[in-house]
Structure formats: structure tokens, C-alpha cells
Amino acid sequence: MQSPPPPTPLPGARHGRDPDRAIKRGPRRVPAEEVAATQRDRLFDGLVREVATRGYDAARVSDICHAAGVTRPAFYALFSGKQDAFLAAYRHGISVVSQLMEGAYRDAGPHWPDAARAALRTLLDVLASVPAFARMALVEVDAAGPDARRERDALLHSFRRFFADAGPGPAVAGVDRDVLVSTVVGGIHATIRGRVAQGRAEDLPALLPVLTYAATAPFLGPDGARRATRPTRPDDGPSTTAPCAPTGQP
């Protein structure tokens, strides 16, 4: 039986100058595609960490290249500029996070409150495990131009899929279900972003009860939402860290 492929790393989970990804010199030539893929991953890590530390506007291409251990010509062979590299790293990282959330949602079982709580818990745990990516993707994305903000808005719209099984919502005159879902998603995003902007990404898992309540109360009512905030098992299972994120990462 074939072993499963290794998990895709979240940008920023590793140092760009990680020696394990150095291009080995020797008589056996490394294929150009492999070199480019390694440089791309290292640049993603370098970009995320530099943008998180310096801010998008202050992070220069030279800073990113130095953090990644990649030359400027190699950078420009892969990306047209800083914004292009930012968008590529953002899309790649969001894809990793979304897949982890979808897996947690699916594995939690058929009951929507449990699935919604599992997806939220995974989101909070993963972002907490790589604070640099959390800051880059939630805070610095605002400074990265209109294309980046459109990507952010499209991501928030896509999160509506986690409410497809939530039921019709309250039968209240004037309450549109689509607007309600958008409001809930926007509120959750604003709360998480605020905590990350304060430099407290590591504290995100503590938001799970309040965010679970906020996500489920409009559809289950107060009593159902209170039940949804309680873990399905006494220990609530192991936390989810981003692929390749070491425990206690600075």
C-alpha cells in the first residue's frame, strides 16, 4: 500500500533558509523544475515572514530574497513583482487552510453544529500555529492592493459553504438568510482579524466557544448554540497545527 503524500506546507511555517531545502551541488544535476519549485516554496516562506514582520509596504523584494536565500533573478523568473508573489503565496496558503477545514467539517459527522465547530476549531488552531501567515493573510492583505482585497472577499464568500447544512434560519420577517450568513461570516472574520492585528494570534483557539456560539445561534437558537459550544468529547481531540509548523514556533 502506498503511503499518503506528505501534507502541503503552509507558507510561513518554515524558515526560507531551511537547510533541508538547499539546492545540493554535485555531479548529478537537479532538474530545473525541482529547483524552481524549491525556490518558490522558500520565497513563499520568506515573503510571509518578511511581510508579517515589516508590513507589506516596507517589505522589499531584496528582503524577501534574503530571507529565502534566493537571488533576485530567480525571484523575477517566478514572479513579476512583490504583489504577484504575495497573491501566489496567499492563494496557496488559503488553499491549504481551506482543505484542512473541509476535512475537519467532513470528519466531524452528519450533525451540522459539530461540523461547524470542527471547521472553526481547525481554522483557529492552524492560524495560531503559524502567526506569520495569520498576519499576512488577515491584516497585511489590506495593504496589498485591490486584487488582494478581491481575493480576500472571494474567500469570505466561499466560507458560506460551511452554512449550507445549517437549516433555514429564523422565520422572521425581513431577515434574508443569505444576508444573515454573510453577516455571521463577516463578524467571525472581523473578530479573528482583530486578535491577529493585536499580535495575539497564539490566543485564537480561546475564541472557539464565542465564535461557535455566534455561528450557530442564528440557526439553532440560544439553547442549541450553547450545546454546540460544548466539545463532543471530553478532551475535544488533538489540536490541528499547520503542516510543517513546529510546536512553539516563534
Side-chain angles (χ1 to χ4, degrees), residues 173-233:
V175 175
D176 181 275
R177 187 184 187 282
D178 287 343
V179 176
L180 177 62
V181 171
S182 296
T183 301
V184 171
V185 170
I188 291 171
H189 170 263
T191 302
I192 296 173
R193 185 195 182 282
R195 194 61 58 96
V196 173
Q198 294 168 2
R200 299 170 60 194
E202 296 90 342
D203 298 337
L204 288 176
L207 294 175
L208 180 60
V210 67
L211 294 185
T212 301
Y213 188 92
T216 58
F219 305 96
L220 305 178
D223 291 340
R226 277 194 293 270
R227 289 192 293 271
T229 63
R230 294 196 290 266
T232 55
R233 296 184 300 274

Side-chain angles (χ1 to χ4, degrees), residues 59-102:
R60 302 170 300 179
V61 169
S62 57
D63 299 323
I64 295 166
C65 290
H66 181 265
V70 174
T71 65
R72 284 176 65 92
F75 175 94
Y76 283 107
L78 293 166
F79 307 111
S80 62
K82 181 174 70 171
Q83 185 181 63
D84 184 37
F86 182 98
L87 288 171
Y90 179 87
R91 290 169 183 148
H92 178 66
I94 291 302
S95 175
V96 173
V97 174
S98 295
Q99 289 175 26
L100 291 170
M101 291 178 66
E102 288 166 1

Side-chain angles (χ1 to χ4, degrees), residues 1 46-47 72 112 157 216:
M1 178 183 295
L47 181 146
R72 284 176 65 92
W112 177 73
H157 187 270
T216 58

Side-chain angles (χ1 to χ4, degrees), residues 97-129:
V97 174
S98 295
Q99 289 175 26
L100 291 170
M101 291 178 66
E102 288 166 1
Y105 186 91
R106 180 181 61 249
D107 294 345
H111 301 294
W112 177 73
D114 296 339
R117 185 179 190 280
L120 269 173
R121 181 170 188 252
T122 296
L123 173 64
L124 297 172
D125 286 349
V126 168
L127 292 177
S129 72

